[in-house]
């Protein structure tokens, strides 16, 4: 059975701190790994990673994939209260875009 | 681009009633995914379509659930009869299909339908 495990389940940090979120996976047919941010409503796309060792960056967020060790990390530097959200990791396992989601990490950034 | 549009936004119904959730895809997208989100189980894929054809419905929990895609831009998810354990947020998402080089943006999710069955 395909599995995507995220850790920690939740964390609370102060504004300005750096946060590292983890996602490990065991799937039979890995195609890509995706990160989403979910605030009050629908998840919004952050990154898609397909190759090991290549960092993707968007502002204060960055992510990298290790296909040998089967994990990815999402970093958020200089956190702001607007970064408070659930961060979801998902793995694509077929050519149609089928995604297996992890349970998510709830991040709370306090002023 | 209006995004993925779901209706209704909220639905409260009594156990045993039929519920129909609706989803309009983004123009030009050809893959459609129905997900359910609960605190206990997170985001679960129920069924997905490509070019109006169901590809995988193994996530549909029971025969009480059915989904259709009568045309390229619209889909429905029906629950009949509904039960309290069906209470969840139901999302649909669309994409331009596949996870090859063209698939750079992930899905676009609708805002969801919050279903409460009492």
């Amino acid at each position: 059975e395909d599995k995507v495990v995220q850790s920690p389940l939740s964390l609370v940090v102060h504004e300005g701190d750096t946060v590292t979120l983890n996602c490990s996976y065991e799937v039979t047919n890995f195609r890509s790994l995706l990160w989403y941010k979910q605030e009050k409503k629908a998840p919004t796309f952050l990154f898609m990673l397909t190759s090991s060792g290549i960092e993707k960056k968007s502002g204060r967020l960055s992510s990298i994939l290790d296909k040998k060790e089967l994990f990815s990390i999402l970093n958020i530097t200089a956190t702001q209260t607007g970064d408070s959200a659930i961060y979801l990791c998902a793995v694509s396992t077929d050519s149609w875009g089928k995604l297996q989601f992890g349970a998510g990490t709830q991040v709370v950034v306090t002023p | 681009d209006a995004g993925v549009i779901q209706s209704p936004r909220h639905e409260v119904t009594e156990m045993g009633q039929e519920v129909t959730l609706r989803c309009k895809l983004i123009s030009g997208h050809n893959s459609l995914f129905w997900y359910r989100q609960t605190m206990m189980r997170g985001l679960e894929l129920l069924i997905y379509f490509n070019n109006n054809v169901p590809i995988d419905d193994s996530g549909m929990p029971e025969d009480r659930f059915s989904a259709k895609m009568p045309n390229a831009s619209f889909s429905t998810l029906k629950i009949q009869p509904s039960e309290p354990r069906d209470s969840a947020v139901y999302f649909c998402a669309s994409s331009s299909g596949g996870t090859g080089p063209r698939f750079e943006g992930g899905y676009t999710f609708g805002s969801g339908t919050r279903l409460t069955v009492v």
Side-chain angles (χ1 to χ4, degrees), chain B residues 39-69:
Chain B
M39 289 290 293
M40 292 295 294
R41 301 174 68 92
L43 263 170
E44 302 174 277
L45 178 63
L46 301 177
I47 185 171
Y48 61 107
F49 297 81
N50 182 262
N51 291 326
N52 304 3
V53 175
I55 302 298
D56 186 343
D57 66 355
S58 60
M60 296 285 258
E62 298 171 34
D63 291 346
R64 299 183 295 107
F65 286 69
S66 63
K68 292 183 180 177
M69 200 164 171

Side-chain angles (χ1 to χ4, degrees), chain A residues 31 36 38 42 48 94-95 97, chain B residues 37 48 56 98-99 103 107 110:
Chain A
R31 294 183 67 90
Y36 286 83
Q38 185 174 25
M48 185 171 86
D94 72 6
S95 61
Chain B
Q37 189 174 37
Y48 61 107
D56 186 343
T99 53
F103 187 66
Y107 296 160

Side-chain angles (χ1 to χ4, degrees), chain B:
Chain B
D1 186 350
V4 176
I5 300 172
Q6 289 189 247
S7 64
R9 297 293 296 273
H10 301 275
E11 175 86 27
V12 180
T13 191
E14 290 185 349
M15 183 173 65
Q17 296 297 305
E18 176 183 302
V19 174
T20 299
L21 312 181
R22 296 174 176 79
C23 175
K24 185 174 185 303
L25 282 70
I26 289 176
S27 176
H29 281 189
N30 64 344
S31 291
L32 180 281
F33 304 81
W34 280 103
Y35 280 86
R36 175 171 72 174
Q37 189 174 37
T38 60
M39 289 290 293
M40 292 295 294
R41 301 174 68 92
L43 263 170
E44 302 174 277
L45 178 63
L46 301 177
I47 185 171
Y48 61 107
F49 297 81
N50 182 262
N51 291 326
N52 304 3
V53 175
I55 302 298
D56 186 343
D57 66 355
S58 60
M60 296 285 258
E62 298 171 34
D63 291 346
R64 299 183 295 107
F65 286 69
S66 63
K68 292 183 180 177
M69 200 164 171
N71 58 57
S73 62
F74 183 73
S75 178
T76 59
L77 177 69
K78 186 180 290 187
I79 309 171
Q80 180 187 24
S82 57
E83 297 182 3
R85 60 191 165 126
D86 302 330
S87 297
V89 179
Y90 290 81
F91 288 104
C92 75
S94 72
S95 77
S96 56
T99 53
R102 297 180 292 115
F103 187 66
E104 289 294 336
Y107 296 160
T108 300
F109 280 85
S111 295
T113 295
R114 182 173 294 277
L115 173 66
T116 304
V117 183
V118 298

Side-chain angles (χ1 to χ4, degrees), chain A residues 44-96:
Chain A
T44 53
F45 173 76
L46 294 175
F47 299 112
M48 185 171 86
L49 304 154
T50 53
S51 301
S52 272
I54 299 175
E55 185 182 55
K56 290 219 172 175
K57 264 181 93 73
S58 176
R60 296 174 294 100
L61 275 67
S62 64
S63 184
I64 198 160
L65 174 67
D66 185 328
K67 288 168 77 172
K68 184 179 173 191
E69 300 296 330
L70 308 183
F71 78 91
S72 173
I73 60 171
L74 175 70
N75 279 320
I76 310 172
T77 58
T79 51
Q80 303 171 357
T81 54
D83 296 325
S84 296
I86 297 172
Y87 291 84
L88 296 162
C89 169
V91 173
S92 170
T93 57
D94 72 6
S95 61
W96 307 109

